[in-house]
Amino acid sequence: MAEGAYLGWDFSTQQVKVIAVDEKLNVTYEESVNFDKELPEFGTQGGVHVHSDKLTVTSPVLMWVKALDIILEKMKSSGFNFSQVKALSGAGQRIALVSNFAASLFLGSYTPIDYGDGSGMNLLNIRKKSWSQLCLDACAPELEEKLGPAVPSSSVLGPISSYHVQRYGFNSECKVIAFTGDNPASLAGMRLEEGDIAVSLGTSDTLFLWIKEPTPALEGHIFCNPVNSQEYMALLCFKNGSLMREKVRDESASGSWDEFSLALRSTEIGNCGNLGFYFDVMEITPETTGRHRFNADNQKVSKFPKEMEVRALIEGQFMAKRIHAEKLGYRIVPRTKILATGGASHNRDILQVLSDVFNAPVYTIETANSACLGCAYRAIHGLAIGEKASFTDVVKLAPEPRLAAVPTAGAAQVYGPLLKRYAELEQQIVLQSHAPPN
């Protein structure tokens, strides 16, 4: 291992994971502990206990503590040199309750909540960076005194506890950097910069956006940016993601991704003005369901030809993402790039539509365990911020993303009016779905 190491931890619902990187940002070590498989004595399923009311879900606290001990013992047995670790940071799934608790295990005392997770709890005024008294009062009495002030996400909380120094051989100067939520940590792992978008094309599609002037809405979520406390990140989740793409592939492309891709290549940009909305399960953004197809004259139709159905699905999914991102204050600028990850990011024809709809180049990134990796990067940034180093400076040695698609000439002129029509029709669908029955 090169001189100097940094640890990134992820306390997720089903497991605890860790990644170590060296000074050149090379990943030098990875390890994990699965709760169900390696800690069966706690009787969890999927890392949790679902209570008899089918609504209450809890996770045994001692299980998290034991999992951390197990993973540290694994590292020790493998010969990992803890004395070279200069700093560590981490992330917690669901809320600050987890990330705050996890950080305290390393610090050996109560740790403050960072801006990224405070905003994730919907308790922090994202502009003033202070707790919202109205929200605190709705949760519990005297909560502000119990929480203490929130801190910037790059804060050095203090040195690692003497327990870890004595038991595992950590350097007593190793610093604990504020832990945050897994979504802010993933943004750091994807190395977004101002104006960038990260698109995770998985079972659900998720958008991460770096924004300067947020306009919070009832949909989506605005966080304080975990790598620049003066700016913000937005998150949008679309439930009908890859499962919807797979359904249309089976229905209109003989179950073949090659035929699906051919349909995209053989149909023209803008789909001759035909627009489709595909929500087989209740969508999150927007909250509605059903399949809805419109021809170029905004007349509802029952079906499209198979090739047109494929393009209508993909164009509709990406137009929805751009429209809702812009509602939260995101603006495409000349330097904007899109970072794509997830299963569908391997399909270049799908990425071409993404590039055309957003009028921006698309890059692919091979970021496994992005929350873990982001926390390792944040650990380095936490030490470097005292030297006025930006997060971009810190991660400049990380592998560069690969260019996958650039906008087709003339695409912006086609999608300009289509985006406006799509937004109007979506609003019409939502209003009709929420209207009382006659």
Side-chain angles (χ1 to χ4, degrees):
M1 181 185 297
E3 187 68 28
Y6 304 86
L7 298 182
W9 296 86
D10 182 14
F11 288 73
S12 65
T13 305
Q14 299 178 14
Q15 59 189 328
V16 174
K17 298 177 285 188
V18 65
I19 276 180
V21 301
D22 62 21
E23 300 279 6
K24 295 182 178 179
L25 305 190
N26 298 307
V27 174
T28 58
Y29 186 90
E30 294 185 62
E31 190 57 85
S32 65
V33 169
N34 183 281
F35 298 143
D36 293 1
K37 293 179 180 178
E38 298 180 66
L39 294 163
E41 64 269 29
F42 290 97
T44 57
Q45 291 188 328
V48 299
H49 291 151
V50 179
H51 293 234
S52 58
D53 61 5
K54 304 301 181 184
L55 296 173
T56 305
V57 180
T58 58
S59 183
V61 175
L62 286 179
M63 180 182 73
W64 297 75
V65 178
K66 190 170 183 180
L68 178 59
D69 270 345
I70 289 174
I71 204 168
L72 287 168
E73 289 293 345
K74 283 185 176 183
M75 296 173 75
K76 187 176 181 180
S77 298
S78 72
F80 184 88
N81 189 345
F82 289 100
S83 68
Q84 291 186 337
V85 178
K86 293 184 176 181
L88 60 87
S89 187
Q93 177 86 9
R94 294 188 281 195
I95 53 174
L97 180 65
V98 175
S99 58
N100 187 232
F101 162 68
S104 71
L105 295 178
F106 289 99
L107 195 67
S109 62
Y110 175 79
T111 59
I113 296 169
D114 81 300
Y115 292 164
D117 234 358
S119 52
M121 294 168 68
N122 295 317
L123 293 178
L124 192 77
N125 183 312
I126 60 174
R127 299 187 191 278
K128 295 181 179 178
K129 306 295 190 294
S130 60
W131 300 117
S132 165
Q133 194 60 52
L134 184 66
C135 294
L136 292 175
D137 291 342
C139 292
E142 302 178 359
L143 188 54
E144 184 171 14
E145 290 76 14
K146 295 174 181 176
L147 292 176
V151 298
S153 300
S154 55
S155 298
V156 177
L157 301 179
I160 197 166
S161 73
S162 57
Y163 167 84
H164 292 286
V165 174
Q166 294 165 9
R167 180 161 182 171
Y168 298 107
F170 276 93
N171 190 311
S172 60
E173 296 299 311
C174 172
K175 297 296 189 290
V176 179
I177 310 302
F179 280 38
T180 192
D182 61 342
N183 286 318
S186 291
L187 178 142
M190 294 176 181
R191 295 172 21 246
L192 257 63
E193 299 176 10
E194 182 186 335
D196 287 350
I197 309 169
V199 184
S200 176
L201 300 172
T203 303
S204 296
D205 290 346
T206 306
L207 248 67
F208 295 93
L209 311 164
W210 181 308
I211 53 180
K212 297 190 73 170
E213 294 297 332
T215 53
L218 292 178
E219 63 185 29
H221 202 105
I222 304 288
F223 298 84
C224 293
N225 194 304
V227 298
N228 185 330
S229 61
Q230 301 307 309
E231 297 184 4
Y232 307 89
M233 67 166 280
L235 180 147
L236 285 164
C237 188
F238 301 82
K239 197 168 187 179
N240 290 269
S242 66
L243 296 182
M244 192 71 249
R245 290 187 286 272
E246 289 169 10
K247 281 187 178 182
V248 172
R249 175 204 63 188
D250 295 344
E251 296 165 0
S252 300
S254 306
S256 165
W257 284 119
D258 289 339
E259 193 171 321
F260 190 95
S261 294
L262 180 61
L264 289 176
R265 293 195 300 271
S266 62
T267 47
E268 65 181 61
I269 290 174
N271 214 18
C272 301
N274 296 284
L275 297 174
F277 301 78
Y278 300 83
F279 311 124
D280 277 14
V281 296
M282 180 61 74
E283 186 50 84
I284 299 169
T285 314
E287 187 180 356
T288 190
T289 189
R291 296 192 189 187
H292 313 271
R293 302 173 184 86
F294 298 87
N295 64 19
D297 297 318
N298 284 353
Q299 296 170 329
K300 202 160 190 180
V301 296
S302 60
K303 62 180 181 179
F304 289 144
K306 290 183 177 181
E307 293 82 2
M308 191 175 288
E309 180 91 329
V310 170
R311 180 166 279 276
L313 167 71
I314 299 301
E315 285 189 339
Q317 287 187 329
F318 291 144
M319 281 194 281
K321 290 170 177 54
R322 177 168 175 176
I323 288 164
H324 289 280
E326 290 177 343
K327 281 185 179 181
L328 290 178
Y330 179 80
R331 295 294 177 265
I332 293 173
V333 295
R335 64 178 174 275
T336 292
K337 64 179 181 290
I338 301 171
L339 305 175
T341 187
S345 68
H346 299 290
N347 186 311
R348 294 305 172 95
D349 296 289
I350 290 176
L351 296 186
Q352 185 61 59
V353 179
L354 173 60
S355 179
D356 290 340
V357 169
F358 276 82
N359 193 34
V362 174
Y363 295 80
T364 54
I365 49 175
E366 300 299 330
T367 304
N369 297 325
S370 59
C372 261
L373 190 59
C375 289
Y377 292 162
R378 290 179 58 254
I380 302 172
H381 185 224
L383 289 189
I385 201 166
E387 303 167 8
K388 306 300 181 184
S390 69
F391 185 75
T392 302
D393 293 333
V394 166
V395 298
K396 63 186 178 184
L397 294 177
E400 289 295 324
R402 295 191 296 271
L403 181 65
V406 295
T408 304
Q413 288 70 33
V414 173
Y415 286 114
L418 279 182
L419 285 160
K420 184 175 184 295
R421 279 185 56 214
Y422 190 95
E424 291 169 350
L425 288 170
E426 182 188 86
Q427 182 64 16
Q428 177 182 314
I429 291 167
V430 172
L431 290 174
Q432 288 174 352
S433 67
H434 292 179
N438 293 329

